[in-house]
Amino acid sequence: MSSSIRKLGPVSVLARELADDGQADFSATAEPYRRELLAHCYRMTGSLHDSEDLVQETLLRAWKAYDRFEGKSSVRTWLHRIATNTCLTALESRRRRPLPTGLGAPSSDPTADLVEGADVPWLEPFPESASDPADPASIVGSRESVRLAFVAALQHLSPRQRAVLVLRDVLQWKAAEVADAIGTSTAAVNSLLQRARSQLDAAQPSADDPVTAPDSPDAQDRLARYIAAFEDYDIERLTELLTSEAIWEMPPYLGWYQGAQAIITLIHQQCPAESPGDMRLIPMIANGQPAAAMYMRDGDGHVPFQLHVLDMHAHGVSRVVAFLDTSLFAKFGLPERL
């Protein structure tokens, strides 16, 4: 993709070019939808990095077609339609993005060596600021639609199934609108949706135990205790927070680990920290879930190490995905060093 349409700081280069070319009207019309377009592309691809490029491509395509926009639909619908087809084109040449638990292997031995899957395009986390809607009443639904478990389950669907399910069940489009958007029949959309829902139900974990909202007092208290356990290097204290069947995974490593004791053993075996103060964590929200950015001691400071995204329920933390891709720290607006 041309570097001329990549983002530069808080204002996109594309927006500047539009203003220079007398297309400020388009920029003013389209820019308010950038964040929700980013969330839409993330649901489709599972990649924050790819989604940023796809949003830029979407806005470029929309800019070129703006003089032909007849207003038969809302600008929001029109932009989502372009974004959907931009994603479908991109996904033709890209593999699905799993988490380690999605690879089909059983849980791993926490005392064994870590094995890196360098050639696997891993699912990435998503910052709260990019998905937070302007309407507070929509926050809960927006968070649910970017939860890691949901986006990971979407990876089991074909690209067209993903598009249909997201447009129908997340954006609440009518079947006829979806059919028109992706160039198929209403009957085909209904068939794709039925199969997608069935596969999603099989791939997603049970929803019997509702997740705790990340900004609730209970979640904030648990996250504070989770952070304190690492910063004090009191790893055994984590057993008070983890459920008995909790899962820990660390992309890009292929293994995943189940059970509080296995997780404690793994951390003692593999974590480079040795004493209190070696780790510092910043509380945050990612994928509509409690999260923390972990920094590891390096000389007289601390440098990025992992991003932890937590599944938190009434009875404890049931899953931690610790992303080791430190390039994500900048995407979350996190400092380069503490």
Side-chain angles (χ1 to χ4, degrees):
M1 181 174 297
S2 169
S3 61
S4 66
I5 60 172
R6 293 186 182 275
K7 294 179 74 176
L8 179 61
V11 180
S12 71
V13 173
L14 176 59
R16 292 181 181 178
E17 290 188 354
L18 294 178
D20 292 343
D21 291 347
Q23 291 284 353
D25 178 56
F26 171 79
S27 181
T29 299
E31 279 295 319
Y33 300 101
R34 179 184 287 276
R35 292 201 307 173
E36 62 179 281
L37 290 172
L38 184 63
H40 180 63
C41 293
Y42 173 73
R43 295 182 198 104
M44 288 290 295
T45 64
S47 167
L48 178 59
H49 290 87
D50 288 353
S51 296
E52 289 179 330
D53 286 343
L54 290 167
V55 169
Q56 294 291 76
E57 180 66 22
T58 294
L59 293 178
L60 180 61
R61 292 185 183 189
W63 170 39
K64 290 179 177 179
Y66 191 49
D67 60 344
R68 301 190 299 277
F69 176 59
E70 299 176 350
K72 293 181 180 179
S73 65
S74 68
V75 171
R76 179 176 181 268
T77 298
W78 178 63
L79 289 172
H80 275 85
R81 174 176 176 158
I82 296 172
T84 300
N85 283 286
T86 301
C87 289
L88 287 174
T89 299
L91 288 168
E92 289 176 359
S93 58
R94 300 181 194 183
R95 292 182 288 165
R96 71 183 184 94
R97 288 181 170 270
L99 290 173
T101 47
L103 297 177
S107 59
S108 303
D109 178 357
T111 64
D113 291 339
L114 298 177
V115 179
E116 185 173 353
D119 60 339
V120 179
W122 297 102
L123 184 67
E124 295 174 351
F126 194 72
E128 171 85 356
S129 59
S131 62
D132 188 19
D135 178 10
S138 302
I139 288 177
V140 173
S142 177
R143 283 174 172 170
E144 285 297 316
S145 71
V146 293
R147 275 182 46 77
L148 269 182
F150 176 70
V151 179
L154 287 176
Q155 297 297 304
H156 292 272
L157 308 180
S158 71
R160 284 172 71 82
Q161 285 177 325
R162 276 183 234 173
V164 168
L165 187 133
V166 169
L167 292 174
R168 290 283 282 121
D169 288 356
V170 176
L171 298 183
Q172 301 292 304
W173 284 21
K174 297 177 181 178
E177 293 176 311
V178 178
D180 184 54
I182 65 173
T184 190
S185 66
T186 301
V189 165
N190 290 332
S191 177
L192 284 166
L193 181 62
Q194 183 178 11
R195 294 200 302 272
R197 285 173 174 168
S198 177
Q199 288 180 243
L200 201 67
D201 287 342
Q204 282 194 109
S206 172
D208 293 340
D209 186 10
V211 295
T212 305
D215 44 12
S216 70
D218 182 57
Q220 291 179 353
D221 174 66
R222 275 213 184 95
L223 183 60
R225 287 189 285 146
Y226 180 90
I227 288 174
F230 278 104
E231 292 188 336
D232 295 342
Y233 199 63
D234 187 355
I235 306 306
E236 278 68 22
R237 213 158 72 198
L238 286 176
T239 58
E240 302 170 9
L241 302 171
L242 299 171
T243 65
S244 60
E245 295 300 312
I247 289 173
W248 182 283
E249 41 196 335
M250 299 187 301
Y253 293 112
L254 298 172
W256 61 278
Y257 309 86
Q258 186 161 30
Q261 193 52 56
I263 293 170
I264 300 305
T265 300
L266 172 75
I267 295 172
H268 278 304
Q269 291 276 337
Q270 303 294 347
C271 182
E274 297 178 348
S275 60
D278 283 352
M279 295 176 280
R280 291 181 60 189
L281 286 82
I282 297 175
M284 49 187 259
I285 297 176
N287 293 83
Q289 301 169 227
M294 177 183 283
Y295 290 74
M296 192 65 64
R297 187 186 296 281
D298 178 48
D300 59 354
H302 292 74
V303 295
F305 183 60
Q306 294 177 339
L307 285 179
H308 292 199
V309 184
L310 286 64
D311 270 14
M312 201 175 285
H313 302 264
H315 57 288
V317 177
S318 62
R319 181 186 297 260
V320 177
V321 184
F323 295 92
L324 276 82
D325 180 0
T326 55
S327 70
L328 291 164
F329 277 62
K331 302 290 186 183
F332 280 74
L334 293 162
E336 295 180 1
R337 187 178 181 88
L338 298 181

